[in-house]
Amino acid sequence: MRGFLASSIGVTCAAALALPLTPPALAATARPVPAAEAARPAPHAGTPATTPAARRAAEPSAAGSTQSLPLRPLTRDRATPSAPATEQGLSRRAVRHFSLVGVVWDDPDAELHGRVQVRTRTAGTGTWSGWQDVETHNADHAADRDTPERTSGRVRGATAPLWVGDSDGVELRVRSESDDSAADSTGHASGTRNLPAAPPLPSGLRLELVDPGEDDDASSGDEEEPRAAGGANAGTPALTGTSAVAEASAVAEASAANADLAPLGATEIAALNRAESEQEYLALNPGALTERQLRAKPYVGPRPGIVTRRGWGANEGLRESGFRYTKKVKAAFVHHTASGNNYSCSQVPSLIRSIYRYHVKSMGWRDIGYNFLIDKCGKIYEGRAGGVAKPVLGAHTLGFNSNSMGIAVLGSYGATKPSKSAVKAVARLTAWKLGLYRVNPKGKTTLKSAGSNLHRKGKKVRLNVISGHRDGFKTECPGRKLYGKLGSARSKAARYQGR
């Protein structure tokens, strides 16, 4: 795909002046909240501003923002008061509107051994939820070690994000617990309990409250310039006086990456039938195919419809400028976002904008980690910028981001079955994308590990072409119920390719 991967800089530059500055669903994004603003009184429950205009008037940073609140000790050991607290959190409080929560800490290599629980207050009704668990084991979703993204100095440790819907109050508790909560067998035999001591919590714990902004909210409030590689920390306030040309260029850059598939500024890449997809395959590989490959039947599944970043309202000023590519796509790793299932399909653009902001501003990544996202209704969304048909380097499967793509099904699927529509969408997407790289979805492939807790660095690992995250890293992801559907996805994808 050498010709296909040629730079589209010329297209981007031309498009920068042609595209309108703000995409239809783009939520303007405010700068992170400084301490002075964080202390501003939040609205009382039951009396929220209900329209975007009223929200903006009442809450200047409501057009997409992150509130970052440091945790406080909830308990201390009276015998050793100077010892690190094994429980931290925040008491019940009113805050500005948010829809997604997560907890971050300073060291990305440190693990949070314990339990994170949150309660939130629904905006408008003032009703408090029960305690909800936040998935703590999230380090396996990350850029590979020794890559520029991982070593940028911006990356933080983090829990998975949890979608809670429009809320204006929060309470949090983080409790340190040993991974081995069972009593030791010798202790049981002697009638005593020898529980291992709880490990210390990571330093620098903060609660992140993410407001995705309004779907119908045009540009308002402070905008953010595209972040240059190696630029300011993700928590640094955005620059003011943003150049309109620079801002339009960032939008155009992302759109131009798909210029071979859709018009500039498109909110969706249209679906194609089998014949059209085979013609597209040939057009995207000029000069890269041998005579034998040109004569052979191309096993490419029909291209599915894909909502672009512009379609879900990505603020292109959040991500790091430019794109990073790997050589090819040999495998697809399927994930779940572990963000809960309490979302409607109409909320998905807001949910993705929240995850995007959490990955970039809270966790310090260069862009959203996944290459694609799929909702419970089976709709497919473009993830990390760089072009949906191109081998964009993601941050989804620690140790195996090279020569692969990451597909995240929105939700939590440890105990909940994924919808048939979502599984079908996984099959349709992989049939098309893997087909562009002449890969059989039911086959096996070999990837070289960049280092994980399951496969040492440099090891050549034999994997299913469509694998679950847990095949490359010891993790629960993509959840037992979704993992159990991958065999069906492989068979369907192969049929879509005509095999």
Side-chain angles (χ1 to χ4, degrees), residues 102-105 108-117 133-142 156-162 174-181 199 201-202 335-339 358-359 363 365 370 396 398 412 453 469-470 473-479:
V103 173
V104 300
W105 53 90
D109 292 320
E111 294 186 34
L112 196 164
H113 297 278
R115 192 173 187 183
V116 176
Q117 292 181 301
D133 285 301
V134 180
E135 174 58 58
T136 59
H137 298 293
N138 193 49
D140 44 327
H141 298 77
R156 301 181 183 93
T159 67
L162 177 68
V174 179
R175 183 180 296 114
S176 175
E177 295 176 355
S178 170
D179 286 342
D180 183 11
S181 58
L201 292 170
H335 305 254
H336 68 170
T337 56
S339 51
Y358 185 69
H359 281 182
M363 297 179 65
W365 295 358
Y370 308 112
H396 48 82
L398 181 62
S412 302
N453 64 359
H469 187 180
R470 64 175 63 181
F473 197 100
K474 188 178 180 181
T475 175
E476 293 298 313
C477 185

Short mmCIF file of all heavy atoms in Angstrom, two decimals, residues 102-105 108-117 133-142 156-162 174-181 199 201-202 335-339 358-359 363 365 370 396 398 412 453 469-470 473-479:
data_model
loop_
_atom_site.label_atom_id
_atom_site.label_comp_id
_atom_site.label_asym_id
_atom_site.label_seq_id
_atom_site.Cartn_x
_atom_site.Cartn_y
_atom_site.Cartn_z
N GLY A 102 -13.02 9.09 35.89
CA GLY A 102 -11.88 8.20 35.94
C GLY A 102 -10.93 8.71 37.01
O GLY A 102 -11.03 9.85 37.46
N VAL A 103 -9.99 7.87 37.42
CA VAL A 103 -8.98 8.25 38.40
C VAL A 103 -7.61 8.08 37.76
O VAL A 103 -7.33 7.06 37.11
CB VAL A 103 -9.09 7.40 39.68
CG1 VAL A 103 -7.93 7.67 40.63
CG2 VAL A 103 -10.41 7.66 40.38
N VAL A 104 -6.75 9.08 37.93
CA VAL A 104 -5.39 9.02 37.37
C VAL A 104 -4.38 9.19 38.50
O VAL A 104 -4.72 9.64 39.59
CB VAL A 104 -5.16 10.10 36.30
CG1 VAL A 104 -6.14 9.93 35.14
CG2 VAL A 104 -5.28 11.51 36.88
N TRP A 105 -3.11 8.82 38.22
CA TRP A 105 -2.03 9.00 39.18
C TRP A 105 -0.74 9.25 38.42
O TRP A 105 -0.68 9.13 37.19
CB TRP A 105 -1.92 7.82 40.12
CG TRP A 105 -1.81 6.46 39.46
CD1 TRP A 105 -0.68 5.81 39.09
CD2 TRP A 105 -2.91 5.59 39.09
NE1 TRP A 105 -0.98 4.58 38.52
CE2 TRP A 105 -2.34 4.44 38.51
CE3 TRP A 105 -4.30 5.70 39.20
CZ2 TRP A 105 -3.13 3.38 38.03
CZ3 TRP A 105 -5.08 4.65 38.73
CH2 TRP A 105 -4.50 3.50 38.16
N PRO A 108 2.86 6.01 35.36
CA PRO A 108 2.11 5.08 34.51
C PRO A 108 2.49 3.62 34.72
O PRO A 108 1.75 2.72 34.33
CB PRO A 108 2.47 5.54 33.09
CG PRO A 108 3.80 6.22 33.24
CD PRO A 108 3.77 6.88 34.58
N ASP A 109 3.65 3.38 35.34
CA ASP A 109 4.07 2.00 35.59
C ASP A 109 3.59 1.49 36.95
O ASP A 109 3.75 0.31 37.26
CB ASP A 109 5.59 1.90 35.52
CG ASP A 109 6.11 2.13 34.10
OD1 ASP A 109 5.46 1.64 33.15
OD2 ASP A 109 7.14 2.81 33.95
N ALA A 110 3.03 2.37 37.78
CA ALA A 110 2.49 1.95 39.07
C ALA A 110 1.08 1.39 38.89
O ALA A 110 0.33 1.86 38.04
CB ALA A 110 2.46 3.12 40.04
N GLU A 111 0.74 0.38 39.67
CA GLU A 111 -0.58 -0.22 39.59
C GLU A 111 -1.40 0.14 40.82
O GLU A 111 -0.86 0.28 41.91
CB GLU A 111 -0.48 -1.75 39.47
CG GLU A 111 0.15 -2.22 38.17
CD GLU A 111 0.10 -3.73 38.02
OE1 GLU A 111 -0.89 -4.33 38.48
OE2 GLU A 111 1.05 -4.31 37.46
N LEU A 112 -2.68 0.28 40.60
CA LEU A 112 -3.59 0.54 41.72
C LEU A 112 -4.18 -0.80 42.15
O LEU A 112 -5.05 -1.35 41.47
CB LEU A 112 -4.69 1.52 41.30
CG LEU A 112 -5.48 2.19 42.44
CD1 LEU A 112 -6.25 3.39 41.91
CD2 LEU A 112 -6.46 1.24 43.11
N HIS A 113 -3.69 -1.32 43.25
CA HIS A 113 -4.19 -2.58 43.78
C HIS A 113 -5.28 -2.25 44.79
O HIS A 113 -5.00 -1.82 45.91
CB HIS A 113 -3.07 -3.38 44.45
CG HIS A 113 -1.98 -3.79 43.52
ND1 HIS A 113 -2.09 -4.90 42.70
CD2 HIS A 113 -0.78 -3.22 43.25
CE1 HIS A 113 -0.97 -5.00 41.98
NE2 HIS A 113 -0.17 -4.00 42.29
N GLY A 114 -6.50 -2.42 44.38
CA GLY A 114 -7.58 -2.09 45.29
C GLY A 114 -8.89 -1.87 44.56
O GLY A 114 -9.10 -2.41 43.46
N ARG A 115 -9.75 -1.07 45.17
CA ARG A 115 -11.09 -0.88 44.64
C ARG A 115 -11.41 0.61 44.55
O ARG A 115 -11.14 1.36 45.48
CB ARG A 115 -12.10 -1.58 45.56
CG ARG A 115 -13.50 -1.72 44.98
CD ARG A 115 -14.36 -2.56 45.91
NE ARG A 115 -15.66 -2.85 45.30
CZ ARG A 115 -16.63 -3.52 45.90
NH1 ARG A 115 -16.46 -3.97 47.13
NH2 ARG A 115 -17.77 -3.75 45.28
N VAL A 116 -11.97 1.00 43.41
CA VAL A 116 -12.39 2.37 43.19
C VAL A 116 -13.90 2.38 43.00
O VAL A 116 -14.43 1.67 42.14
CB VAL A 116 -11.70 2.98 41.94
CG1 VAL A 116 -12.23 4.38 41.67
CG2 VAL A 116 -10.19 3.00 42.13
N GLN A 117 -14.58 3.18 43.82
CA GLN A 117 -16.04 3.27 43.72
C GLN A 117 -16.47 4.73 43.70
O GLN A 117 -15.88 5.57 44.38
CB GLN A 117 -16.70 2.56 44.91
CG GLN A 117 -16.51 1.05 44.90
CD GLN A 117 -17.21 0.40 46.08
OE1 GLN A 117 -16.93 0.71 47.23
NE2 GLN A 117 -18.14 -0.50 45.79
N ASP A 133 -18.56 0.49 40.72
CA ASP A 133 -17.14 0.15 40.62
C ASP A 133 -16.55 0.69 39.33
O ASP A 133 -17.17 0.64 38.26
CB ASP A 133 -16.95 -1.37 40.66
CG ASP A 133 -17.15 -1.95 42.05
OD1 ASP A 133 -16.41 -1.53 42.97
OD2 ASP A 133 -18.05 -2.79 42.23
N VAL A 134 -15.32 1.19 39.44
CA VAL A 134 -14.55 1.65 38.29
C VAL A 134 -13.44 0.63 38.05
O VAL A 134 -12.74 0.23 39.00
CB VAL A 134 -13.94 3.05 38.55
CG1 VAL A 134 -13.13 3.52 37.35
CG2 VAL A 134 -15.05 4.05 38.88
N GLU A 135 -13.29 0.19 36.82
CA GLU A 135 -12.28 -0.82 36.49
C GLU A 135 -10.88 -0.25 36.72
O GLU A 135 -10.50 0.77 36.14
CB GLU A 135 -12.43 -1.25 35.03
CG GLU A 135 -11.34 -2.19 34.51
CD GLU A 135 -11.25 -3.47 35.32
OE1 GLU A 135 -12.27 -4.17 35.40
OE2 GLU A 135 -10.16 -3.75 35.86
N THR A 136 -10.10 -0.90 37.60
CA THR A 136 -8.79 -0.36 37.97
C THR A 136 -7.66 -0.86 37.09
O THR A 136 -6.64 -0.19 36.96
CB THR A 136 -8.46 -0.72 39.43
OG1 THR A 136 -8.46 -2.15 39.58
CG2 THR A 136 -9.48 -0.12 40.38
N HIS A 137 -7.80 -2.03 36.50
CA HIS A 137 -6.70 -2.61 35.71
C HIS A 137 -6.82 -2.13 34.27
O HIS A 137 -7.55 -2.70 33.46
CB HIS A 137 -6.71 -4.13 35.80
CG HIS A 137 -6.51 -4.64 37.18
ND1 HIS A 137 -5.33 -4.50 37.87
CD2 HIS A 137 -7.36 -5.28 38.04
CE1 HIS A 137 -5.45 -5.03 39.08
NE2 HIS A 137 -6.66 -5.51 39.21
N ASN A 138 -6.08 -1.07 33.95
CA ASN A 138 -6.20 -0.42 32.65
C ASN A 138 -4.86 -0.20 31.98
O ASN A 138 -4.80 0.33 30.87
CB ASN A 138 -6.93 0.93 32.83
CG ASN A 138 -7.39 1.53 31.53
OD1 ASN A 138 -8.01 0.87 30.72
ND2 ASN A 138 -7.07 2.81 31.33
N ALA A 139 -3.75 -0.58 32.64
CA ALA A 139 -2.42 -0.32 32.10
C ALA A 139 -2.13 -1.10 30.82
O ALA A 139 -1.22 -0.75 30.07
CB ALA A 139 -1.36 -0.65 33.15
N ASP A 140 -2.93 -2.14 30.58
CA ASP A 140 -2.73 -2.95 29.38
C ASP A 140 -3.24 -2.25 28.12
O ASP A 140 -2.93 -2.67 27.02
CB ASP A 140 -3.42 -4.30 29.54
CG ASP A 140 -4.81 -4.18 30.14
OD1 ASP A 140 -5.03 -3.28 30.96
OD2 ASP A 140 -5.68 -4.99 29.80
N HIS A 141 -4.04 -1.19 28.28
CA HIS A 141 -4.43 -0.36 27.15
C HIS A 141 -3.44 0.79 27.10
O HIS A 141 -3.58 1.78 27.82
CB HIS A 141 -5.84 0.22 27.33
CG HIS A 141 -6.91 -0.81 27.43
ND1 HIS A 141 -7.14 -1.56 28.56
CD2 HIS A 141 -7.85 -1.20 26.53
CE1 HIS A 141 -8.17 -2.38 28.35
NE2 HIS A 141 -8.61 -2.18 27.14
N ALA A 142 -2.42 0.69 26.27
CA ALA A 142 -1.37 1.71 26.31
C ALA A 142 -0.47 1.60 25.09
O ALA A 142 -0.46 0.59 24.39
CB ALA A 142 -0.53 1.56 27.59
N ARG A 156 0.23 9.18 32.27
CA ARG A 156 -0.11 8.90 33.67
C ARG A 156 -0.75 7.51 33.79
O ARG A 156 -1.30 6.99 32.82
CB ARG A 156 -1.10 9.93 34.21
CG ARG A 156 -0.62 11.37 34.16
CD ARG A 156 -1.69 12.29 34.74
NE ARG A 156 -1.31 13.69 34.65
CZ ARG A 156 -1.64 14.49 33.65
NH1 ARG A 156 -2.36 14.02 32.65
NH2 ARG A 156 -1.26 15.74 33.63
N GLY A 157 -0.69 6.96 34.97
CA GLY A 157 -1.47 5.76 35.26
C GLY A 157 -2.93 6.14 35.38
O GLY A 157 -3.26 7.28 35.73
N ALA A 158 -3.83 5.21 35.11
CA ALA A 158 -5.25 5.55 35.12
C ALA A 158 -6.12 4.32 35.22
O ALA A 158 -5.74 3.22 34.81
CB ALA A 158 -5.62 6.32 33.85
N THR A 159 -7.31 4.53 35.75
CA THR A 159 -8.36 3.51 35.69
C THR A 159 -9.01 3.59 34.32
O THR A 159 -8.77 4.52 33.54
CB THR A 159 -9.45 3.76 36.74
OG1 THR A 159 -10.15 4.99 36.41
CG2 THR A 159 -8.86 3.88 38.14
N ALA A 160 -9.87 2.63 34.02
CA ALA A 160 -10.73 2.77 32.84
C ALA A 160 -11.73 3.90 33.12
O ALA A 160 -12.05 4.19 34.27
CB ALA A 160 -11.47 1.46 32.57
N PRO A 161 -12.22 4.55 32.08
CA PRO A 161 -13.25 5.57 32.29
C PRO A 161 -14.60 4.92 32.52
O PRO A 161 -14.87 3.82 32.04
CB PRO A 161 -13.22 6.35 30.98
CG PRO A 161 -12.80 5.33 29.96
CD PRO A 161 -11.85 4.41 30.67
N LEU A 162 -15.47 5.60 33.26
CA LEU A 162 -16.83 5.12 33.50
C LEU A 162 -17.82 6.19 33.07
O LEU A 162 -17.77 7.33 33.53
CB LEU A 162 -17.03 4.79 34.99
CG LEU A 162 -18.44 4.34 35.39
CD1 LEU A 162 -18.75 2.96 34.79
CD2 LEU A 162 -18.58 4.30 36.91
N VAL A 174 -11.41 5.34 47.22
CA VAL A 174 -10.38 4.46 46.65
C VAL A 174 -9.73 3.73 47.82
O VAL A 174 -9.12 4.35 48.69
CB VAL A 174 -9.32 5.26 45.87
CG1 VAL A 174 -8.26 4.32 45.31
CG2 VAL A 174 -9.97 6.06 44.75
N ARG A 175 -9.87 2.43 47.83
CA ARG A 175 -9.39 1.63 48.96
C ARG A 175 -8.32 0.66 48.48
O ARG A 175 -8.51 -0.09 47.52
CB ARG A 175 -10.54 0.86 49.59
CG ARG A 175 -10.15 0.05 50.82
CD ARG A 175 -11.34 -0.70 51.42
NE ARG A 175 -12.36 0.20 51.91
CZ ARG A 175 -13.58 0.30 51.38
NH1 ARG A 175 -13.91 -0.45 50.33
NH2 ARG A 175 -14.45 1.13 51.88
N SER A 176 -7.17 0.66 49.14
CA SER A 176 -6.10 -0.27 48.83
C SER A 176 -6.46 -1.66 49.33
O SER A 176 -6.92 -1.82 50.47
CB SER A 176 -4.79 0.19 49.46
OG SER A 176 -3.77 -0.75 49.26
N GLU A 177 -6.27 -2.67 48.48
CA GLU A 177 -6.54 -4.05 48.86
C GLU A 177 -5.49 -4.95 48.22
O GLU A 177 -5.02 -4.68 47.11
CB GLU A 177 -7.93 -4.50 48.39
CG GLU A 177 -9.08 -3.76 49.05
CD GLU A 177 -10.44 -4.18 48.49
OE1 GLU A 177 -10.44 -4.98 47.52
OE2 GLU A 177 -11.47 -3.72 49.00
N SER A 178 -5.15 -6.01 48.89
CA SER A 178 -4.23 -6.97 48.33
C SER A 178 -4.92 -7.75 47.21
O SER A 178 -6.12 -8.03 47.28
CB SER A 178 -3.75 -7.95 49.40
OG SER A 178 -3.03 -9.01 48.82
N ASP A 179 -4.16 -8.07 46.16
CA ASP A 179 -4.73 -8.88 45.08
C ASP A 179 -5.13 -10.25 45.59
O ASP A 179 -6.05 -10.88 45.08
CB ASP A 179 -3.72 -9.02 43.94
CG ASP A 179 -3.59 -7.74 43.14
OD1 ASP A 179 -4.49 -6.88 43.25
OD2 ASP A 179 -2.59 -7.60 42.41
N ASP A 180 -4.41 -10.75 46.58
CA ASP A 180 -4.73 -12.06 47.16
C ASP A 180 -5.55 -11.84 48.43
O ASP A 180 -5.04 -11.72 49.53
CB ASP A 180 -3.44 -12.82 47.48
CG ASP A 180 -3.71 -14.21 48.02
OD1 ASP A 180 -4.88 -14.65 47.95
OD2 ASP A 180 -2.77 -14.85 48.52
N SER A 181 -6.86 -11.73 48.25
CA SER A 181 -7.73 -11.42 49.39
C SER A 181 -8.06 -12.67 50.21
O SER A 181 -8.62 -12.56 51.30
CB SER A 181 -9.02 -10.77 48.91
OG SER A 181 -9.68 -11.62 48.00
N PRO A 199 -1.18 -2.98 49.87
CA PRO A 199 -0.08 -2.18 49.31
C PRO A 199 -0.44 -0.70 49.32
O PRO A 199 -1.62 -0.34 49.39
CB PRO A 199 0.02 -2.71 47.88
CG PRO A 199 -1.35 -3.20 47.55
CD PRO A 199 -1.91 -3.73 48.84
N LEU A 201 -1.27 3.02 48.01
CA LEU A 201 -1.90 3.54 46.81
C LEU A 201 -0.89 4.34 46.01
O LEU A 201 0.05 4.91 46.57
CB LEU A 201 -3.09 4.43 47.18
CG LEU A 201 -4.29 3.73 47.82
CD1 LEU A 201 -5.29 4.76 48.36
CD2 LEU A 201 -4.98 2.81 46.81
N PRO A 202 -1.05 4.42 44.69
CA PRO A 202 -0.13 5.22 43.88
C PRO A 202 -0.16 6.69 44.31
O PRO A 202 -1.17 7.18 44.83
CB PRO A 202 -0.66 5.05 42.45
CG PRO A 202 -1.51 3.83 42.49
CD PRO A 202 -2.07 3.75 43.87
N HIS A 335 -11.43 -5.23 21.94
CA HIS A 335 -11.47 -4.76 23.32
C HIS A 335 -12.90 -4.42 23.72
O HIS A 335 -13.77 -4.26 22.87
CB HIS A 335 -10.64 -3.47 23.47
CG HIS A 335 -9.23 -3.57 23.01
ND1 HIS A 335 -8.17 -3.63 23.88
CD2 HIS A 335 -8.69 -3.61 21.76
CE1 HIS A 335 -7.05 -3.71 23.20
NE2 HIS A 335 -7.33 -3.70 21.90
N HIS A 336 -13.12 -4.27 25.02
CA HIS A 336 -14.26 -3.51 25.49
C HIS A 336 -13.71 -2.30 26.23
O HIS A 336 -12.58 -2.32 26.73
CB HIS A 336 -15.22 -4.33 26.36
CG HIS A 336 -14.69 -4.77 27.69
ND1 HIS A 336 -15.48 -5.34 28.66
CD2 HIS A 336 -13.44 -4.74 28.24
CE1 HIS A 336 -14.77 -5.63 29.73
NE2 HIS A 336 -13.53 -5.27 29.50
N THR A 337 -14.48 -1.22 26.28
CA THR A 337 -13.98 -0.01 26.94
C THR A 337 -14.12 -0.08 28.45
O THR A 337 -13.55 0.76 29.15
CB THR A 337 -14.72 1.23 26.41
OG1 THR A 337 -16.14 1.05 26.60
CG2 THR A 337 -14.43 1.46 24.93
N ALA A 338 -14.88 -1.06 28.96
CA ALA A 338 -15.11 -1.21 30.41
C ALA A 338 -15.70 0.06 31.02
O ALA A 338 -15.50 0.34 32.20
CB ALA A 338 -13.82 -1.60 31.13
N SER A 339 -16.43 0.81 30.20
CA SER A 339 -17.00 2.09 30.64
C SER A 339 -18.46 1.97 31.04
O SER A 339 -19.13 2.99 31.26
CB SER A 339 -16.85 3.13 29.52
OG SER A 339 -17.35 2.63 28.29
N TYR A 358 -10.42 12.01 27.84
CA TYR A 358 -9.79 11.30 28.97
C TYR A 358 -8.44 10.72 28.56
O TYR A 358 -7.45 10.84 29.29
CB TYR A 358 -10.74 10.21 29.46
CG TYR A 358 -10.27 9.46 30.69
CD1 TYR A 358 -10.22 10.09 31.93
CD2 TYR A 358 -9.91 8.12 30.62
CE1 TYR A 358 -9.81 9.40 33.07
CE2 TYR A 358 -9.51 7.42 31.74
CZ TYR A 358 -9.46 8.07 32.98
OH TYR A 358 -9.05 7.37 34.09
N HIS A 359 -8.38 10.09 27.38
CA HIS A 359 -7.11 9.52 26.91
C HIS A 359 -6.04 10.59 26.72
O HIS A 359 -4.87 10.39 27.07
CB HIS A 359 -7.33 8.78 25.58
CG HIS A 359 -7.93 7.42 25.74
ND1 HIS A 359 -8.16 6.58 24.66
CD2 HIS A 359 -8.36 6.74 26.84
CE1 HIS A 359 -8.71 5.45 25.11
NE2 HIS A 359 -8.85 5.54 26.42
N MET A 363 -4.86 11.12 30.63
CA MET A 363 -3.86 10.05 30.61
C MET A 363 -2.58 10.46 29.88
O MET A 363 -1.56 9.78 30.00
CB MET A 363 -4.46 8.79 29.97
CG MET A 363 -5.63 8.22 30.76
SD MET A 363 -6.37 6.75 30.01
CE MET A 363 -5.03 5.58 30.13
N TRP A 365 -2.02 10.71 26.46
CA TRP A 365 -1.73 10.09 25.16
C TRP A 365 -1.81 11.13 24.04
O TRP A 365 -2.37 12.21 24.22
CB TRP A 365 -2.71 8.96 24.89
CG TRP A 365 -2.61 7.81 25.85
CD1 TRP A 365 -1.72 7.68 26.88
CD2 TRP A 365 -3.42 6.64 25.87
NE1 TRP A 365 -1.93 6.50 27.55
CE2 TRP A 365 -2.97 5.84 26.95
CE3 TRP A 365 -4.48 6.20 25.10
CZ2 TRP A 365 -3.55 4.61 27.26
CZ3 TRP A 365 -5.06 4.97 25.41
CH2 TRP A 365 -4.60 4.20 26.48
N TYR A 370 -7.80 3.75 20.59
CA TYR A 370 -8.34 2.74 19.68
C TYR A 370 -8.39 3.25 18.24
O TYR A 370 -8.63 4.43 17.99
CB TYR A 370 -9.76 2.34 20.11
CG TYR A 370 -9.87 1.95 21.55
CD1 TYR A 370 -10.58 2.75 22.45
CD2 TYR A 370 -9.28 0.78 22.05
CE1 TYR A 370 -10.70 2.40 23.79
CE2 TYR A 370 -9.39 0.43 23.38
CZ TYR A 370 -10.10 1.24 24.25
OH TYR A 370 -10.21 0.88 25.57
N HIS A 396 -3.52 0.55 22.15
CA HIS A 396 -4.64 -0.27 22.58
C HIS A 396 -4.23 -1.58 23.22
O HIS A 396 -4.89 -2.06 24.14
CB HIS A 396 -5.59 -0.54 21.40
CG HIS A 396 -4.90 -1.01 20.15
ND1 HIS A 396 -4.52 -2.31 19.96
CD2 HIS A 396 -4.50 -0.33 19.04
CE1 HIS A 396 -3.93 -2.43 18.77
NE2 HIS A 396 -3.90 -1.23 18.19
N LEU A 398 -0.94 -3.18 24.82
CA LEU A 398 0.45 -3.02 25.21
C LEU A 398 1.27 -4.24 24.78
O LEU A 398 0.97 -5.37 25.12
CB LEU A 398 0.54 -2.85 26.73
CG LEU A 398 1.95 -2.66 27.30
CD1 LEU A 398 2.58 -1.39 26.75
CD2 LEU A 398 1.90 -2.61 28.83
N SER A 412 -19.16 -2.79 28.82
CA SER A 412 -18.48 -3.76 29.68
C SER A 412 -19.11 -5.13 29.46
O SER A 412 -20.31 -5.30 29.62
CB SER A 412 -18.65 -3.34 31.15
OG SER A 412 -18.13 -2.05 31.37
N ASN A 453 2.95 -8.51 29.97
CA ASN A 453 3.03 -9.43 31.11
C ASN A 453 2.74 -10.86 30.71
O ASN A 453 2.76 -11.75 31.55
CB ASN A 453 2.09 -8.98 32.23
CG ASN A 453 0.63 -9.03 31.81
OD1 ASN A 453 0.29 -9.38 30.68
ND2 ASN A 453 -0.25 -8.68 32.73
N HIS A 469 -8.03 -8.90 23.38
CA HIS A 469 -6.93 -8.24 24.08
C HIS A 469 -6.19 -9.21 24.99
O HIS A 469 -4.96 -9.18 25.10
CB HIS A 469 -7.52 -7.07 24.88
CG HIS A 469 -6.49 -6.19 25.52
ND1 HIS A 469 -6.83 -5.09 26.27
CD2 HIS A 469 -5.14 -6.23 25.55
CE1 HIS A 469 -5.74 -4.50 26.71
NE2 HIS A 469 -4.69 -5.18 26.30
N ARG A 470 -6.93 -10.10 25.64
CA ARG A 470 -6.32 -11.03 26.59
C ARG A 470 -5.37 -12.02 25.93
O ARG A 470 -4.60 -12.70 26.63
CB ARG A 470 -7.40 -11.80 27.36
CG ARG A 470 -8.27 -12.69 26.49
CD ARG A 470 -9.24 -13.52 27.31
NE ARG A 470 -10.21 -12.71 28.03
CZ ARG A 470 -11.14 -13.22 28.83
NH1 ARG A 470 -11.22 -14.52 29.01
NH2 ARG A 470 -12.01 -12.43 29.43
N PHE A 473 -2.10 -9.92 26.31
CA PHE A 473 -1.79 -9.39 27.64
C PHE A 473 -2.69 -10.10 28.63
O PHE A 473 -3.85 -10.36 28.35
CB PHE A 473 -2.06 -7.87 27.65
CG PHE A 473 -1.41 -7.13 28.79
CD1 PHE A 473 -0.23 -6.43 28.60
CD2 PHE A 473 -1.99 -7.13 30.06
CE1 PHE A 473 0.37 -5.73 29.64
CE2 PHE A 473 -1.40 -6.43 31.10
CZ PHE A 473 -0.22 -5.73 30.90
N LYS A 474 -2.15 -10.39 29.82
CA LYS A 474 -2.96 -11.05 30.84
C LYS A 474 -3.94 -10.04 31.42
O LYS A 474 -3.59 -9.20 32.26
CB LYS A 474 -2.07 -11.63 31.94
CG LYS A 474 -2.82 -12.50 32.94
CD LYS A 474 -1.88 -13.08 33.98
CE LYS A 474 -2.64 -13.96 34.97
NZ LYS A 474 -1.73 -14.51 36.01
N THR A 475 -5.18 -10.10 30.97
CA THR A 475 -6.20 -9.12 31.32
C THR A 475 -7.57 -9.75 31.14
O THR A 475 -7.70 -10.79 30.47
CB THR A 475 -6.08 -7.87 30.42
OG1 THR A 475 -7.16 -6.98 30.70
CG2 THR A 475 -6.14 -8.24 28.95
N GLU A 476 -8.58 -9.15 31.71
CA GLU A 476 -9.95 -9.62 31.51
C GLU A 476 -10.52 -9.13 30.18
O GLU A 476 -11.51 -9.68 29.68
CB GLU A 476 -10.85 -9.14 32.65
CG GLU A 476 -10.52 -9.77 34.01
CD GLU A 476 -10.72 -11.28 33.99
OE1 GLU A 476 -11.76 -11.75 33.49
OE2 GLU A 476 -9.80 -11.99 34.46
N CYS A 477 -9.97 -8.07 29.64
CA CYS A 477 -10.45 -7.48 28.39
C CYS A 477 -10.37 -8.48 27.24
O CYS A 477 -9.36 -9.19 27.13
CB CYS A 477 -9.63 -6.23 28.09
SG CYS A 477 -10.18 -5.29 26.65
N PRO A 478 -11.36 -8.61 26.40
CA PRO A 478 -12.54 -7.76 26.22
C PRO A 478 -13.78 -8.21 27.01
O PRO A 478 -14.90 -7.92 26.61
CB PRO A 478 -12.81 -7.89 24.73
CG PRO A 478 -12.45 -9.31 24.43
CD PRO A 478 -11.25 -9.61 25.30
N GLY A 479 -13.57 -8.88 28.11
CA GLY A 479 -14.69 -9.43 28.87
C GLY A 479 -15.04 -10.82 28.38
O GLY A 479 -14.97 -11.12 27.18
#
